[in-house]
CSV table of all heavy atoms in Angstrom, one decimal:
chain,number,residue,atom,x,y,z
A,817,THR,N,11.1,-3.2,4.3
A,817,THR,CA,10.2,-2.0,4.1
A,817,THR,C,8.8,-2.4,4.4
A,817,THR,O,8.5,-3.6,4.6
A,817,THR,CB,10.3,-1.5,2.7
A,817,THR,OG1,9.7,-2.5,1.8
A,817,THR,CG2,11.7,-1.1,2.3
A,818,LYS,N,7.9,-1.5,4.5
A,818,LYS,CA,6.5,-1.7,4.6
A,818,LYS,C,6.0,-1.7,3.1
A,818,LYS,O,6.7,-1.3,2.2
A,818,LYS,CB,5.8,-0.7,5.5
A,818,LYS,CG,6.0,-0.9,6.9
A,818,LYS,CD,5.5,-2.3,7.3
A,818,LYS,CE,5.4,-2.6,8.8
A,818,LYS,NZ,4.9,-3.9,9.1
A,819,TYR,N,4.7,-2.0,2.9
A,819,TYR,CA,4.2,-2.2,1.6
A,819,TYR,C,4.2,-0.9,0.8
A,819,TYR,O,4.3,-0.9,-0.4
A,819,TYR,CB,2.8,-2.8,1.6
A,819,TYR,CG,2.4,-3.4,0.3
A,819,TYR,CD1,2.9,-4.7,0.0
A,819,TYR,CD2,1.6,-2.8,-0.6
A,819,TYR,CE1,2.6,-5.3,-1.2
A,819,TYR,CE2,1.2,-3.3,-1.8
A,819,TYR,CZ,1.7,-4.6,-2.1
A,819,TYR,OH,1.4,-5.2,-3.3
A,820,ASP,N,4.1,0.3,1.5
A,820,ASP,CA,4.2,1.6,0.9
A,820,ASP,C,5.6,2.0,0.5
A,820,ASP,O,5.8,3.1,0.0
A,820,ASP,CB,3.5,2.6,1.7
A,820,ASP,CG,4.2,3.0,3.0
A,820,ASP,OD1,5.2,2.3,3.3
A,820,ASP,OD2,3.8,3.9,3.7
A,821,GLY,N,6.6,1.2,0.8
A,821,GLY,CA,8.0,1.5,0.5
A,821,GLY,C,8.7,2.2,1.6
A,821,GLY,O,9.9,2.4,1.5
A,822,SER,N,8.1,2.5,2.7
A,822,SER,CA,8.8,3.2,3.8
A,822,SER,C,9.7,2.2,4.5
A,822,SER,O,9.4,1.0,4.6
A,822,SER,CB,7.8,3.8,4.8
A,822,SER,OG,6.9,2.7,5.3
A,823,LEU,N,10.8,2.7,4.9
A,823,LEU,CA,11.8,1.9,5.6
A,823,LEU,C,11.3,1.4,6.9
A,823,LEU,O,10.7,2.1,7.7
A,823,LEU,CB,13.1,2.7,5.8
A,823,LEU,CG,14.3,2.0,6.3
A,823,LEU,CD1,14.8,0.9,5.3
A,823,LEU,CD2,15.5,3.0,6.5
A,824,HIS,N,11.5,0.1,7.1
A,824,HIS,CA,11.1,-0.6,8.4
A,824,HIS,C,12.4,-1.0,9.1
A,824,HIS,O,13.3,-0.2,9.3
A,824,HIS,CB,10.1,-1.7,8.1
A,824,HIS,CG,9.4,-2.3,9.3
A,824,HIS,ND1,8.8,-1.5,10.2
A,824,HIS,CD2,9.2,-3.6,9.6
A,824,HIS,CE1,8.3,-2.3,11.1
A,824,HIS,NE2,8.5,-3.6,10.8
A,825,TRP,N,12.5,-2.2,9.5
A,825,TRP,CA,13.7,-2.7,10.2
A,825,TRP,C,14.9,-2.8,9.2
A,825,TRP,O,14.7,-3.2,8.1
A,825,TRP,CB,13.5,-4.0,10.9
A,825,TRP,CG,12.6,-3.9,12.1
A,825,TRP,CD1,11.3,-4.3,12.2
A,825,TRP,CD2,13.0,-3.4,13.4
A,825,TRP,NE1,10.9,-4.0,13.5
A,825,TRP,CE2,11.9,-3.5,14.3
A,825,TRP,CE3,14.2,-2.9,13.9
A,825,TRP,CZ2,11.9,-3.1,15.6
A,825,TRP,CZ3,14.2,-2.5,15.3
A,825,TRP,CH2,13.1,-2.6,16.1
A,826,HIS,N,16.0,-2.3,9.7
A,826,HIS,CA,17.2,-2.4,8.8
A,826,HIS,C,18.5,-2.4,9.7
A,826,HIS,O,18.5,-1.9,10.8
A,826,HIS,CB,17.3,-1.2,7.8
A,826,HIS,CG,17.2,0.2,8.5
A,826,HIS,ND1,18.3,1.0,8.7
A,826,HIS,CD2,16.2,0.9,9.1
A,826,HIS,CE1,18.0,2.1,9.3
A,826,HIS,NE2,16.7,2.0,9.6
A,827,HIS,N,19.5,-3.1,9.1
A,827,HIS,CA,20.8,-3.2,9.9
A,827,HIS,C,21.8,-3.9,8.9
A,827,HIS,O,21.5,-4.3,7.8
A,827,HIS,CB,20.6,-4.1,11.1
A,827,HIS,CG,20.2,-5.5,10.8
A,827,HIS,ND1,21.0,-6.6,10.7
A,827,HIS,CD2,18.9,-6.1,10.6
A,827,HIS,CE1,20.4,-7.7,10.5
A,827,HIS,NE2,19.1,-7.4,10.4
A,828,THR,N,23.0,-3.9,9.4
A,828,THR,CA,24.1,-4.6,8.7
A,828,THR,C,24.3,-5.9,9.4
A,828,THR,O,24.2,-6.1,10.6
A,828,THR,CB,25.4,-3.7,8.9
A,828,THR,OG1,25.1,-2.4,8.3
A,828,THR,CG2,26.6,-4.4,8.1
A,829,ALA,N,24.6,-6.9,8.5
A,829,ALA,CA,24.9,-8.3,9.0
A,829,ALA,C,26.1,-8.8,8.3
A,829,ALA,O,26.5,-8.2,7.3
A,829,ALA,CB,23.7,-9.2,8.8
A,830,ARG,N,26.7,-9.9,8.7
A,830,ARG,CA,27.8,-10.5,8.1
A,830,ARG,C,27.2,-11.7,7.3
A,830,ARG,O,26.6,-12.6,7.8
A,830,ARG,CB,28.8,-11.0,9.1
A,830,ARG,CG,30.1,-11.4,8.4
A,830,ARG,CD,31.2,-11.7,9.5
A,830,ARG,NE,30.7,-12.9,10.2
A,830,ARG,CZ,31.1,-13.1,11.5
A,830,ARG,NH1,31.9,-12.3,12.1
A,830,ARG,NH2,30.7,-14.2,12.1
A,831,LEU,N,27.5,-11.7,6.0
A,831,LEU,CA,27.1,-12.8,5.1
A,831,LEU,C,27.9,-14.1,5.5
A,831,LEU,O,29.1,-14.1,5.5
A,831,LEU,CB,27.3,-12.5,3.7
A,831,LEU,CG,26.8,-13.5,2.6
A,831,LEU,CD1,25.3,-13.6,2.7
A,831,LEU,CD2,27.2,-13.1,1.3
A,832,LEU,N,27.2,-15.2,5.9
A,832,LEU,CA,27.9,-16.4,6.4
A,832,LEU,C,28.0,-17.4,5.3
A,832,LEU,O,28.9,-18.2,5.3
A,832,LEU,CB,27.1,-16.9,7.6
A,832,LEU,CG,27.0,-16.0,8.8
A,832,LEU,CD1,26.2,-16.6,9.9
A,832,LEU,CD2,28.4,-15.6,9.4
A,833,GLY,N,27.0,-17.6,4.5
A,833,GLY,CA,27.0,-18.6,3.5
A,833,GLY,C,25.6,-19.0,3.0
A,833,GLY,O,24.6,-18.3,3.3
A,834,GLU,N,25.6,-20.1,2.3
A,834,GLU,CA,24.3,-20.5,1.7
A,834,GLU,C,24.2,-22.0,1.8
A,834,GLU,O,25.2,-22.7,1.8
A,834,GLU,CB,24.4,-20.1,0.2
A,834,GLU,CG,23.2,-20.3,-0.5
A,834,GLU,CD,23.3,-19.6,-1.9
A,834,GLU,OE1,24.2,-18.9,-2.2
A,834,GLU,OE2,22.3,-19.8,-2.7
A,835,ASP,N,23.0,-22.5,2.0
A,835,ASP,CA,22.8,-24.0,2.0
A,835,ASP,C,21.4,-24.3,1.3
A,835,ASP,O,20.9,-23.4,0.6
A,835,ASP,CB,22.8,-24.6,3.4
A,835,ASP,CG,21.7,-24.1,4.3
A,835,ASP,OD1,20.7,-23.4,3.8
A,835,ASP,OD2,21.8,-24.4,5.5
A,836,VAL,N,20.9,-25.5,1.4
A,836,VAL,CA,19.7,-25.8,0.7
A,836,VAL,C,18.5,-25.0,1.2
A,836,VAL,O,17.5,-24.9,0.5
A,836,VAL,CB,19.3,-27.3,0.9
A,836,VAL,CG1,20.4,-28.2,0.3
A,836,VAL,CG2,19.1,-27.7,2.4
A,837,HIS,N,18.6,-24.3,2.4
A,837,HIS,CA,17.5,-23.5,2.9
A,837,HIS,C,17.5,-22.1,2.4
A,837,HIS,O,16.5,-21.4,2.5
A,837,HIS,CB,17.5,-23.6,4.4
A,837,HIS,CG,17.4,-25.0,5.0
A,837,HIS,ND1,16.3,-25.8,4.9
A,837,HIS,CD2,18.4,-25.7,5.5
A,837,HIS,CE1,16.6,-26.9,5.4
A,837,HIS,NE2,17.8,-26.9,5.8
A,838,GLY,N,18.7,-21.6,2.0
A,838,GLY,CA,18.8,-20.2,1.5
A,838,GLY,C,20.1,-19.6,2.0
A,838,GLY,O,21.1,-20.3,2.2
A,839,VAL,N,20.1,-18.3,2.1
A,839,VAL,CA,21.3,-17.5,2.4
A,839,VAL,C,21.2,-17.2,3.9
A,839,VAL,O,20.2,-16.7,4.4
A,839,VAL,CB,21.3,-16.2,1.5
A,839,VAL,CG1,22.5,-15.4,1.9
A,839,VAL,CG2,21.4,-16.6,0.1
A,840,TRP,N,22.3,-17.3,4.6
A,840,TRP,CA,22.4,-17.1,6.0
A,840,TRP,C,23.3,-15.9,6.3
A,840,TRP,O,24.4,-15.7,5.6
A,840,TRP,CB,23.0,-18.3,6.7
A,840,TRP,CG,22.1,-19.5,6.7
A,840,TRP,CD1,22.0,-20.4,5.7
A,840,TRP,CD2,21.3,-19.9,7.7
A,840,TRP,NE1,21.1,-21.4,6.0
A,840,TRP,CE2,20.6,-21.1,7.3
A,840,TRP,CE3,20.9,-19.4,9.0
A,840,TRP,CZ2,19.7,-21.8,8.0
A,840,TRP,CZ3,20.0,-20.1,9.7
A,840,TRP,CH2,19.4,-21.3,9.3
A,841,ALA,N,22.9,-15.0,7.2
A,841,ALA,CA,23.7,-13.9,7.6
A,841,ALA,C,23.6,-13.8,9.2
A,841,ALA,O,22.7,-14.4,9.8
A,841,ALA,CB,23.2,-12.6,7.0
A,842,GLY,N,24.6,-13.3,9.8
A,842,GLY,CA,24.7,-13.2,11.3
A,842,GLY,C,25.1,-11.9,11.8
A,842,GLY,O,25.7,-11.1,11.2
A,843,CYS,N,24.7,-11.7,13.1
A,843,CYS,CA,25.1,-10.6,13.9
A,843,CYS,C,25.6,-11.0,15.2
A,843,CYS,O,24.9,-11.8,15.9
A,843,CYS,CB,23.9,-9.6,14.0
A,843,CYS,SG,23.3,-8.9,12.5
A,844,PRO,N,26.7,-10.5,15.7
A,844,PRO,CA,27.2,-10.9,17.0
A,844,PRO,C,26.4,-10.2,18.1
A,844,PRO,O,25.6,-9.3,17.9
A,844,PRO,CB,28.7,-10.3,17.0
A,844,PRO,CG,28.6,-9.2,16.0
A,844,PRO,CD,27.6,-9.5,15.0
A,845,ALA,N,26.6,-10.7,19.3
A,845,ALA,CA,26.0,-10.0,20.5
A,845,ALA,C,26.4,-8.6,20.5
A,845,ALA,O,27.6,-8.2,20.1
A,845,ALA,CB,26.5,-10.7,21.8
A,846,GLY,N,25.5,-7.7,20.8
A,846,GLY,CA,25.8,-6.2,20.8
A,846,GLY,C,25.5,-5.5,19.5
A,846,GLY,O,25.6,-4.3,19.4
A,847,ALA,N,25.1,-6.3,18.5
A,847,ALA,CA,24.7,-5.7,17.2
A,847,ALA,C,23.4,-4.9,17.4
A,847,ALA,O,22.6,-5.1,18.3
A,847,ALA,CB,24.5,-6.7,16.1
A,848,SER,N,23.2,-3.9,16.5
A,848,SER,CA,22.0,-3.1,16.6
A,848,SER,C,21.3,-3.0,15.3
A,848,SER,O,21.9,-3.3,14.2
A,848,SER,CB,22.4,-1.7,17.1
A,848,SER,OG,23.1,-1.0,16.1
A,849,MET,N,20.0,-2.7,15.4
A,849,MET,CA,19.2,-2.5,14.2
A,849,MET,C,18.3,-1.4,14.5
A,849,MET,O,18.1,-1.0,15.7
A,849,MET,CB,18.5,-3.8,13.8
A,849,MET,CG,17.4,-4.3,14.7
A,849,MET,SD,16.5,-5.7,14.0
A,849,MET,CE,17.7,-6.9,13.7
A,850,ARG,N,17.7,-0.8,13.5
A,850,ARG,CA,16.8,0.3,13.6
A,850,ARG,C,15.5,0.1,12.9
A,850,ARG,O,15.5,-0.6,11.9
A,850,ARG,CB,17.4,1.6,13.0
A,850,ARG,CG,18.7,2.0,13.8
A,850,ARG,CD,19.3,3.2,13.1
A,850,ARG,NE,18.4,4.4,13.3
A,850,ARG,CZ,18.7,5.6,12.9
A,850,ARG,NH1,19.9,5.8,12.3
A,850,ARG,NH2,17.9,6.6,13.1
A,851,ARG,N,14.4,0.6,13.5
A,851,ARG,CA,13.1,0.6,12.8
A,851,ARG,C,12.9,2.0,12.2
A,851,ARG,O,12.8,3.0,13.0
A,851,ARG,CB,12.0,0.3,13.7
A,851,ARG,CG,10.7,0.2,13.0
A,851,ARG,CD,9.6,-0.4,13.8
A,851,ARG,NE,9.5,0.0,15.2
A,851,ARG,CZ,8.9,-0.6,16.2
A,851,ARG,NH1,8.2,-1.7,15.9
A,851,ARG,NH2,8.9,-0.1,17.4
A,852,GLY,N,13.0,2.1,10.9
A,852,GLY,CA,12.9,3.4,10.3
A,852,GLY,C,14.0,4.3,10.7
A,852,GLY,O,15.1,4.0,10.7
């Protein structure tokens, strides 16, 4: 979101797992996302 709460970039991803760096998610080639 932006600081005023408005929706910014959003999409669906596949949760892949977690390691010492954090949580990882992925999108295959051809995946899409939207801005607002």
Side-chain angles (χ1 to χ4, degrees):
T817 63
K818 283 302 190 180
Y819 202 78
D820 67 353
S822 61
L823 189 59
H824 192 46
W825 287 104
H826 56 102
H827 63 95
T828 301
R830 192 174 64 207
L831 185 64
L832 300 175
E834 189 170 351
D835 67 9
V836 297
H837 304 289
V839 178
W840 293 84
C843 293
S848 65
M849 64 174 60
R850 294 177 68 177
R851 181 168 44 196

